[in-house]
Structures are given as structure tokens and as C-alpha cells.
Amino acid sequence: MAFWWPIIVLAFAYAICRFLLMLIPPNVPSIDVDASDVLDDGNQTQENSFIYIPPRGRPQQSDRKVQCYEPATMKYLGFFPALTPAEVEERVAQARKAQKIWAKSSFKQRRQFLRILLKYIIEHQELICEVSSRDTGKTMVDASLGEIMTTCEKITWLLSEGEKWLRPEYRSSGRSMLHKKSKVEFHPLGVIGAIVSWNYPFHNIFNPMLAAVFSGNGVVIKVSEHASWSGCFYFRIIQAALAAVGAPENLVEVITGFAETGEALVSSVDKIIFVGSPGVGKMIMENAAETLIPVTLELGGKDAFIVCEDVDIPHVAQVAVRATLQSSGQNCAGAERFYVHRDIYNSFVNQVTKIVKSVSAGPPLAARYDMGAICLQEHSDKLQHLVDDAVDKGAEIVARGSFGHLSEGAVDQFFPPTVLKNVNHTMKLMQEETFGPIMPIMKFESDEEVVKLANDSRYGLGCAVFSGSQRRAKEIASQIHCGVAAVNDFASTYMCQSLPFGGTKDSGFGRFAGVEGLRACCLVKSVVEDRWWPYIKTKIPKPIQYPVAENGFEFQESLVEALYGLNIWDRLRALVNALKIISEQNPVATSKKND
């Protein structure tokens, strides 16, 4: 006991010290970001406050400008330049110069960059959400859930574990290389290019940027033409945080434009991350093939939401409606196909109908609405077409939400939450990505049937399975061909930033987030070195030195069996034979033979 007592005391003292250190807040400087031109304080000049009418029948890119407006009110926000290929190449070249400096930065400096960002985000949540809301039409609550929380979670995970997963990782050297040390090193790729979608303007910029910068890369992000106004403001936050830690200028760039701008980015960078549609994703792949750069694609989704008969119906109905509104035009793909067991089908539909009828749509900053405007111009026409197709084929509309107080002529920018029953897979609504607040509910009879239905899709992003038996829910989820699965929950996988995110089939491939996403920003290099240098070095055995001996192959046979044979006695016999061949090797005889 006399021996252990000092160790126990020291361990206890160490734990107390660690706890006390946790109580001391880190020294994180504040940054100032000019937000005077993005706050809707009612004092905008007449020039910048008119109602914008998007041109119809001709592509917007012909103006060489990215026009920005609030989808909820059509209030004009301004414009940004559509960069030419030459301008994109120049931005990438500047980022490449900065990256060569940043690659030598310490993890301490990189963590301080993350802490500064985290501090600013926490202190300016309302501003960040309001900017996102104005540019995309989403509500403040949805902006907080999808933009703020996910980004804070990613930063916190990187602060906690990022360095650990980028350190050299030692691996087994195997039997033939016992005298070697084997490891994997993770080096920056250079400049990461990201082309991101409009549905999460804040998180979609910060997500690839955080992983790229923390792993020592530069990054150039092409924001969507539908969310350029917010993206360029969020860029100011990143610039201020980089300057605060003394990072080189131009390490991170945000560029605006259309297809031509994105194509130029793909041709200039060392890796491309794309978030968008399957059609554009295929074009990205084609362009990336020219330079053979790695590609990560996060494309469409048609996630299945499965409800077994043994669930708490009111609770799951609330989750289902939330999943539907989060898949509205201003948000994520989310759950778009609902499968409910026949024994509770009517009860579930009735419960969902009750909730949806209480939901209203309207300008998200004008009042407290459950859903905002649809970001994409004329997207409501597509949604109505999908509903009409389903009704023509036998579906029934059982509930529609209401509109709030909309300005004159703005109805086209909103689509009411809609619930349909008696749907089937012959309807486009169950096959095409909706990106709208529509809930098609189909009944199923058995677990085998619902697995087959869920897999009957060209998409494979995610799924959610609800059952009173967690074992049953896990079994169903394990059979669905998708990249992410939530058991008795919805979208919880994305809040776990230690997990990789991505899909399969037309939902893309590759992963971001988690260890896999962080290391995907790296050149993965395998390194082998001598374990006991200079005392033990690799030497070529005499039987296989040039000129190779007559019994060289016999030696190789014995060596292979000695190393990898299944029977210990056969391995020992082979080892003795290999040693015998080495000892009996006659260099003089070998030399005469080759003469």
C-alpha cells in the first residue's frame, strides 16, 4: 500500500488540475465584421429596395451578373460579378501561394482560427440566421438547426479530435517486414475547390472550408447563384478570423458566377467537392477526368421515412412533419417518401393531417411562420406538377397548410405543406427528388416489403426507421442501400460530425464530415523506414542477388512458406531449408555458371 499511495495522490491531483484548467476560459480574440449592408433595418435607399422581377425565358448568366433577391418578398438585394475562367484561375493561383505558407502552420494556430469562428458564431446567431433567411426564404428556427448547430458541432469536433486524425498513423508491418516501421502520413493536397448548393448557404461554405483549412489546404468556394448574397457576407467572417491568426491573405476565396465559373474551378484545383444535382455532378466528373483530380459528390436524395405499427404515433407524426418542412424548397432533400404500416396507416395520416393544417407559410422575418419561401424561381410549378401527376394516378390530397400574409404577386414563391395518401411507385412524386414540403404516405404490410420499397429508388442518401423495437428498426435500416441511417430519429446522423456523410447510387459518392471527410482533403502517403537503424538494415539474401543462383526460386519457395505457412511445423521446416540454402551458397560456382 505504501507504494501505491503516492501514485493515487498524484493521479488525484492531476485530475483536479485538469478540472480547474477547464474552468479557465481560453483567450480568444473577438473579430469585427461589417454587417451594415445586410441588416434589413428599413433604411435602405430606394435604389436598393425595389421588387425584383426575374427575367423569364432566357438564362440569367447572359447578364454577366448574379442578381440577388429575397425569395420571400422579392426585394432586390444587389448583384455580384459572374467571374470569367481567367479570373477564377487567378483566384486559385493566389490561394495556391497562400497555401504553401499555411501548410507549415501549427495545429495550435489552426485551432485558434476555429475558436475565433466559434466565438463569433455563438455571439452573432441571429445575424447569421437572418442573412440566411433573407437569401433563401427559410425560417429562423430552420436556419439555427441546419446552419448554426451543425457548424458549431463540426468546429467542436475538429477542436477535440482533428489533430489526432491528421497525425501519422502507425500500422502493422507484417511478417516479412518486422524490422520496419510502417505508417500513413496525411499531407495537404493543395487547393480544394468546392461548388456548393443554395439550401444551407452558411453551413455549405463552412463545411468544406473548415476541413480544408484545418488540414493545411487552401480552398476556393463557388457559391450558388441562388445564395451569393449571403455567401459573400459569410466570407467576411472567414476573412476576419484568418487575419486574426495571421494566416496568409487569399487562403480562402469565395467566388460567384454560373456554370462557366464552376467549370473553370474544376479545371484549376487539386480536388473538387460538389453539392448539387446528379446531372451537374456527372458534368463535374467529366471535367475532373481531364486533370484526374479526386472528386466528392453529394447529390440528390429521396430518403425513406419508415413507420412500423408499434410506434408512438403522435411523436413520430411530429418528427415526420418536421422532416417534410425541412425538405421544403429552401432546405435540404430530407425525407421525401413515407412508408407506414397498414395497421396504423389511417391513424398516422389523421395525426399528420391535424399537424399540417396548423402550419402556415409566409415571409419568415415578417412573423413566426413554420416554413418560408421557395428559393428557386418557378420551383412551385414543378411541385404542383408532381402533385397533379399523383392525383391523376389515384392519390388523394388529405391536407394542405395555409398561407400567411403575403405581398401581392408573391404567391408563386410559396407552396403550402401538402399531405397525400394512397400513393404508389408509379407516381413521379415517389421517384423524383421533390425538394418541397410534400408528404406522400404509402402503406406497407411487412418488413420485407418496406425494405424492397425503400430500395426501389435511384437515390441512396439516407433513411429513417421508427419502431418500438430498436432491434427491429436496426435490422430494417441495415438492409436499406444508403449512406446514412437514423434509427428512431430523423437527420441525427448529420449532427454527429464524427460520422462521414454521403450517399450511393445517384446520391453520389465520397464522404465529407468525420475522419473520412477530413482525411479526404489530404494526400495519403504510405511510409516505411527501418525500425532499428542503423543496426539492422535490409539486405538482399545471397541466393537472389544478381546474378541469381540456380536454387534462387527454391529459396523463395521456402521463404514464402516460412513466413506464411498455415502449419507451424511446416513453417519451421521451410525456415531451416531457407537458412541451409543461404549457408551453402557458393558465389564462385554461381560466377562460373554465368560465365
Side-chain angles (χ1 to χ4, degrees):
M1 185 62 184
F3 174 76
W4 290 106
W5 179 248
I7 297 177
I8 294 173
V9 171
L10 288 173
F12 183 73
Y14 174 77
I16 293 294
C17 290
R18 286 294 300 267
F19 176 74
L20 292 175
L21 285 173
M22 289 173 60
L23 299 179
I24 303 174
N27 183 21
V28 181
S30 298
I31 55 175
D32 292 321
V33 179
D34 182 15
S36 59
D37 58 338
V38 298
L39 293 172
D40 187 10
D41 56 7
N43 295 322
Q44 281 81 1
T45 63
Q46 183 66 27
E47 179 184 356
N48 292 322
S49 62
F50 63 86
I51 300 301
Y52 181 73
I53 303 175
R56 294 176 180 265
R58 65 185 179 90
Q60 188 183 6
Q61 53 259 46
S62 62
D63 295 334
R64 302 301 308 166
K65 296 178 181 178
V66 179
Q67 305 286 2
C68 305
Y69 56 91
E70 292 184 8
T73 64
M74 302 307 294
K75 181 183 292 186
Y76 186 63
L77 296 171
F79 71 89
F80 293 91
L83 298 189
T84 65
E87 290 171 322
V88 173
E89 291 172 6
E90 176 60 24
R91 298 289 183 92
V92 173
Q94 292 173 350
R96 199 174 297 283
K97 291 179 183 178
Q99 186 275 330
K100 293 184 185 301
I101 301 171
W102 183 250
K104 301 175 184 178
S105 65
S106 66
F107 281 110
K108 180 180 179 181
Q109 186 179 11
R110 299 177 194 180
R111 279 193 294 269
Q112 185 71 336
F113 168 64
L114 297 187
R115 291 192 187 100
I116 292 171
L117 287 175
L118 183 59
K119 181 178 181 179
Y120 183 89
I121 293 169
I122 293 172
E123 293 177 350
H124 297 83
Q125 296 181 57
E126 185 175 0
L127 169 64
I128 293 169
C129 291
E130 182 176 332
V131 170
S132 175
S133 176
R134 290 188 67 191
D135 206 18
T136 65
K138 68 175 63 178
T139 65
M140 294 287 283
V141 170
D142 282 345
S144 178
L145 287 169
E147 307 271 33
I148 300 295
M149 288 190 67
T150 49
T151 303
C152 289
E153 185 67 33
K154 186 177 187 73
I155 293 175
T156 304
W157 178 78
L158 283 171
L159 286 170
S160 175
E161 300 186 36
E163 181 180 356
K164 177 180 74 172
W165 295 112
L166 292 177
R167 288 175 186 161
E169 182 178 288
Y170 285 87
R171 305 281 181 88
S172 167
S173 295
R175 293 178 179 177
S176 63
M177 293 288 138
L178 283 174
H179 58 298
K180 300 285 188 179
K181 288 191 296 184
S182 303
K183 63 180 177 179
V184 180
E185 295 178 347
F186 303 95
H187 301 274
L189 278 173
V191 177
I192 307 295
I195 302 175
V196 299
S197 61
W198 43 265
N199 54 348
Y200 287 103
F202 182 74
H203 182 68
N204 282 348
I205 289 176
F206 274 68
N207 187 30
M209 181 278 298
L210 290 167
V213 171
F214 193 80
S215 55
N217 294 283
V219 60
V220 180
I221 305 167
K222 192 267 178 189
V223 292
S224 169
E225 57 268 33
H226 302 290
S228 295
W229 181 77
S230 57
C232 289
F233 169 70
Y234 297 143
F235 180 40
R236 298 179 197 172
I237 302 172
I238 298 169
Q239 286 178 306
L242 287 171
V245 297
E249 195 176 358
N250 307 122
L251 181 67
V252 178
E253 292 279 359
V254 168
I255 60 176
T256 52
F258 301 100
E260 182 185 48
T261 306
E263 290 172 6
L265 182 63
V266 176
S267 304
S268 308
V269 294
D270 302 302
K271 174 188 171 70
I272 195 72
I273 298 171
F274 175 72
V275 181
S277 68
V280 179
K282 291 177 182 178
M283 290 189 285
I284 295 288
M285 283 288 295
E286 185 176 351
N287 292 336
E290 294 294 326
T291 51
L292 291 178
I293 60 170
V295 177
T296 295
L297 299 179
E298 200 276 280
L299 307 177
K302 195 72 179 174
D303 291 5
F305 191 106
I306 298 170
V307 184
C308 298
E309 74 279 4
D310 52 358
V311 300
D312 178 352
I313 296 177
H315 165 69
V316 178
Q318 275 285 346
V319 177
V321 174
R322 164 59 65 181
T324 302
L325 297 189
Q326 281 192 308
S327 66
S328 57
Q330 78 283 0
N331 243 314
C332 64
E336 294 197 350
R337 297 179 293 154
F338 294 81
Y339 302 100
V340 179
H341 195 277
R342 66 175 184 177
D343 290 350
I344 62 167
Y345 186 80
N346 291 331
S347 298
F348 183 83
V349 170
N350 292 337
Q351 188 68 35
V352 165
T353 298
K354 179 181 177 182
I355 298 170
V356 168
K357 285 183 176 180
S358 68
V359 170
S360 61
L365 294 180
R368 297 294 181 183
Y369 289 97
D370 293 299
M371 62 169 291
I374 290 174
C375 185
L376 294 182
Q377 182 190 351
E378 302 178 8
H379 187 62
S380 58
D381 293 339
K382 176 188 174 183
L383 297 179
Q384 189 59 52
H385 173 74
L386 293 174
V387 171
D388 292 343
D389 174 76
V391 171
D392 290 344
K393 294 176 180 176
E396 178 184 347
I397 298 176
V398 294
R400 301 201 89 165
S402 62
F403 287 126
H405 298 289
L406 304 178
S407 58
E408 185 178 354
V411 177
D412 286 345
Q413 292 300 120
F414 295 86
F415 194 89
T418 303
V419 181
L420 297 95
K421 68 176 183 179
N422 300 328
V423 297
N424 58 61
H425 279 211
T426 66
M427 303 169 183
K428 295 178 181 179
L429 189 57
M430 296 295 282
Q431 295 295 337
E432 298 181 11
E433 186 177 32
T434 307
F435 249 104
I438 304 174
M439 179 184 283
I441 308 177
M442 183 175 178
K443 66 177 65 174
F444 70 91
E445 296 189 6
S446 66
D447 293 358
E448 292 75 18
E449 180 190 13
V450 79
V451 168
K452 184 177 180 180
L453 289 169
N455 286 330
D456 180 24
S457 173
R458 61 192 182 97
Y459 296 104
L461 184 55
C463 73
V465 184
F466 291 81
S467 171
S469 165
Q470 185 158 324
R471 179 178 180 181
R472 178 186 180 188
K474 288 167 59 177
E475 178 64 23
I476 293 173
S478 69
Q479 299 177 67
I480 298 175
H481 196 44
C482 62
V484 294
V487 175
N488 283 321
D489 206 343
F490 170 75
S492 54
T493 46
Y494 204 60
M495 280 305 299
C496 299
Q497 283 291 314
S498 64
L499 296 177
F501 183 85
T504 185
K505 298 190 283 189
D506 275 14
S507 292
F509 60 85
R511 297 293 184 266
F512 54 77
V515 180
E516 293 78 2
L518 185 61
R519 289 180 171 179
C521 293
C522 299
L523 167 65
V524 181
K525 181 182 293 186
S526 299
V527 179
V528 177
E529 58 185 282
D530 287 309
R531 190 184 299 274
W532 297 292
W533 175 269
Y535 306 107
I536 298 179
K537 305 176 185 179
T538 300
K539 288 188 177 181
I540 301 176
K542 287 185 178 181
I544 57 174
Q545 290 180 5
Y546 290 117
V548 177
E550 289 184 357
N551 56 358
F553 183 71
E554 181 186 349
F555 168 79
Q556 275 299 118
E557 282 186 308
S558 297
L559 181 62
V560 169
E561 187 170 4
L563 289 170
Y564 310 112
L566 299 178
N567 185 302
I568 184 64
W569 300 112
D570 290 342
R571 289 173 60 190
L572 288 172
R573 176 184 50 77
L575 177 61
V576 170
N577 191 49
L579 293 173
K580 180 180 178 182
I581 293 174
I582 291 176
S583 64
E584 292 178 350
Q585 181 64 38
N586 186 349
V588 177
T590 304
S591 177
K592 289 182 179 179
K593 174 182 178 296
N594 284 275
D595 288 338

